[in-house]
């Protein structure tokens, strides 16, 4: 075995049972032998060198390209074992830290998300086959963190609970509010807000696939007279709104564009308006996005710490009126997506190929690891222009969520009867 890889694994894996089989059939054991064995096989000498020098990137690449196979424990078992030993920071070797510092310097180039690049980055991920997303998302195609009110909730129930949770924070206290949904996905949240709030909703996206899907849903639902979807960058919106919501889009803004994002939010929000920003965030100090995710899944993406968000809010003249940190909800969401995707492996392979399936499985697994062990969470930040725009206690959120839960239960009852 490549000496540097052996040294690295012996320093990293202190607990558990990792077995590595090299290309010549030799088996090497790391850890104290406790727990179920995790067995991986390297199919080339090249893989040994790659894993030794930059495992944060090359572990996923080797698995994706077939240079690494899991014969026991699966890729999630391997990532779990690594995370339980490394803690929140798997880049704990000197040469890895040096590489991460170089990535931090380069970040300003790869995250220069001007409108043209932002659209290209969105297309890279969201304009994949529509059938792919149907393999692992809930029926409403919510592609963001679900909200698990109970451990036994299904993914579909938890995604509906997420929409309730957001609607309650927007204070839909009167009909015909004008709402903007920045990064509207496949339209589920916009349609929900229009329904429960009797509101007029504009959804904007940079994805052609999502746009056509959302528009079709609005027509089929008979509400295309008050729900509109447009291909538009947030920087180009001229109208003003009573409510603004953005779910899972802020991660694509880019660190150097936070001031511009919140200045534009200030311009678009009416003086007594309310905004709800739902974004992945770091619970610790600012750091690089996982290198595999950045290269293969979300180019130009960045996950901020709260300390990177609030200064831009302040400079834009906006108030953070409520901040909630959703811990582990996204870990459970990613787990549900991963299990669903793996169960549909053959269908996904028919759409793309084996390499793509391995890439996607690794993406979902490393994402779950990030939220379960490496300090990632979700921030829901409620924002206003005026300090008195909302009630001064949170009771209105609790009351609204309870009413929406009762309403949703009634609305779901007929469909449950039909399927029961």
């Amino acid at each position: 075995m490549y000496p540097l890889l052996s040294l690295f694994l012996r320093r990293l894996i202190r607990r558990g049972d990792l077995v590595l089989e090299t290309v010549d059939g030799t088996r090497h054991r790391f850890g104290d032998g406790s727990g179920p064995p995790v067995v991986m096989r390297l199919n080339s000498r090249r893989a040994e060198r790659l894993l030794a020098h930059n495992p944060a990137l090359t572990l996923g690449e080797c698995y994706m390209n077939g240079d690494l196979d899991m014969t026991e424990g699966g890729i999630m078992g391997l990532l779990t074992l690594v995370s339980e030993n490394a803690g929140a920071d798997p880049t704990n070797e000197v040469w890895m830290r040096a590489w991460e510092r170089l990535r931090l310097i380069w970040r300003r180039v790869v995250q220069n998300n001007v409108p043209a690049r932002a659209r290209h980055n969105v297309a890279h991920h969201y304009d994949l086959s529509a059938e792919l997303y149907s393999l692992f998302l809930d029926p409403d195609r919510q592609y963001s963190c679900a909200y698990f009110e109970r451990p036994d909730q299904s993914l579909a129930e938890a995604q509906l609970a997420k929409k309730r949770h957001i609607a309650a924070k927007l204070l839909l206290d009167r009909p015909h509010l004008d709402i903007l949904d920045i990064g509207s996905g496949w339209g589920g949240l916009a349609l929900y807000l229009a329904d429960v709030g009797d509101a007029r909703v504009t959804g904007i996206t940079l994805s052609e696939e999502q746009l056509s899907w959302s528009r079709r849903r609005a027509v089929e639902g008979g509400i295309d007279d008050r729900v509109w979807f447009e291909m538009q960058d947030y920087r180009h919106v001229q109208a003003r709104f009573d409510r603004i919501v953005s779910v899972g889009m802020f991660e694509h803004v880019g660190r150097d564009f936070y001031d511009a994002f919140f200045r534009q939010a200030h311009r678009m929000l009416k003086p007594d308006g309310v905004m709800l920003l739902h974004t992945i965030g770091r619970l610790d100090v600012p750091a690089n996005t996982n290198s595999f995710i950045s290269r293969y899944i979300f180019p130009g993406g960045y996950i901020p710490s709260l300390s990177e968000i609030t200064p831009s809010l302040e400079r834009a003249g906006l108030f953070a009126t409520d901040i909630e940190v959703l811990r582990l909800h996204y870990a459970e969401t990613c787990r549900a997506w991963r299990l669903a995707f793996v169960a549909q492996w053959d269908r996904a392979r028919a759409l793309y190929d084996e390499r793509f399936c391995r890439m996607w499985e690794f993406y979902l697994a490393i994402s779950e690891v990030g939220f379960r062990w490496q300090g990632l969470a979700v921030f829901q930040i409620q924002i206003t222009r005026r300090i008195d725009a909302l009630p001064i206690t949170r009771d209105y959120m609790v009351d609204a969520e309870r009413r929406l839960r009762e309403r949703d239960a009634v609305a779901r009852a007929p469909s449950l009867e039909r399927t029961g």
Side-chain angles (χ1 to χ4, degrees), residues 135-137 155 335-345:
L135 299 181
F136 67 97
L137 297 181
L155 178 62
R335 178 178 183 274
W337 288 344
R338 177 175 56 83
L339 294 176
F341 178 79
V342 170
Q344 299 287 343
W345 191 279

Side-chain angles (χ1 to χ4, degrees), residues 182-201:
I182 305 175
S184 51
W186 285 276
L189 179 61
L191 297 173
Y192 183 80
L193 295 175
D195 184 22
V196 302
D198 191 18
R200 297 182 291 260
V201 186

Side-chain angles (χ1 to χ4, degrees), residues 39-43 62-63 66-71 358:
V39 183
M40 65 176 180
R41 183 177 67 244
L42 299 184
N43 299 320
C62 287
Y63 181 68
D67 290 317
L68 183 159
D69 287 319
M70 299 303 305
T71 59
R358 284 176 171 240

Side-chain angles (χ1 to χ4, degrees), residues 331-364:
E332 294 303 316
T333 304
C334 290
R335 178 178 183 274
W337 288 344
R338 177 175 56 83
L339 294 176
F341 178 79
V342 170
Q344 299 287 343
W345 191 279
D346 290 343
R347 290 179 61 189
R349 184 170 51 200
L351 290 172
Y352 290 99
D353 55 26
E354 183 73 14
R355 181 178 184 273
F356 179 91
C357 291
R358 284 176 171 240
M359 177 189 73
W360 207 260
E361 182 194 11
F362 189 86
Y363 146 56
L364 295 174

Side-chain angles (χ1 to χ4, degrees), residues 11 41 61 145 170 255 310 328 330 359 386 402:
R11 290 168 60 111
R41 183 177 67 244
E61 287 183 330
C145 177
L170 286 171
R255 178 64 185 83
T310 53
L328 295 175
Y330 220 153
M359 177 189 73
R386 283 181 11 196
R402 174 182 48 78

Side-chain angles (χ1 to χ4, degrees), residues 85-157:
N85 278 272
D89 184 11
T91 58
N92 53 7
E93 297 289 351
V94 173
W95 71 90
M96 295 182 196
R97 291 185 182 277
W99 179 254
E100 289 302 308
R101 284 195 292 272
L102 289 173
R103 287 188 64 225
L104 198 61
I105 296 170
W106 185 245
R107 183 187 69 185
R108 291 182 178 274
V109 175
V110 298
Q111 292 176 20
N112 185 28
N113 293 332
V114 296
R117 177 174 283 188
R119 184 165 179 175
H120 172 78
N121 289 342
V122 165
H124 174 87
H125 188 86
Y126 295 98
D127 284 347
L128 295 171
S129 166
E131 187 178 346
L132 169 69
Y133 290 100
S134 69
L135 299 181
F136 67 97
L137 297 181
D138 67 295
D140 195 44
R141 287 180 176 246
Q142 289 295 306
Y143 195 27
S144 59
C145 177
Y147 183 64
F148 288 87
E149 297 172 313
R150 306 183 316 274
D152 63 338
Q153 272 189 314
S154 69
L155 178 62
E157 290 170 333

Side-chain angles (χ1 to χ4, degrees), residues 405-416:
R405 189 179 297 109
E406 293 170 353
R407 180 190 183 281
D408 290 340
V410 172
R412 284 168 58 85
S415 62
L416 293 176

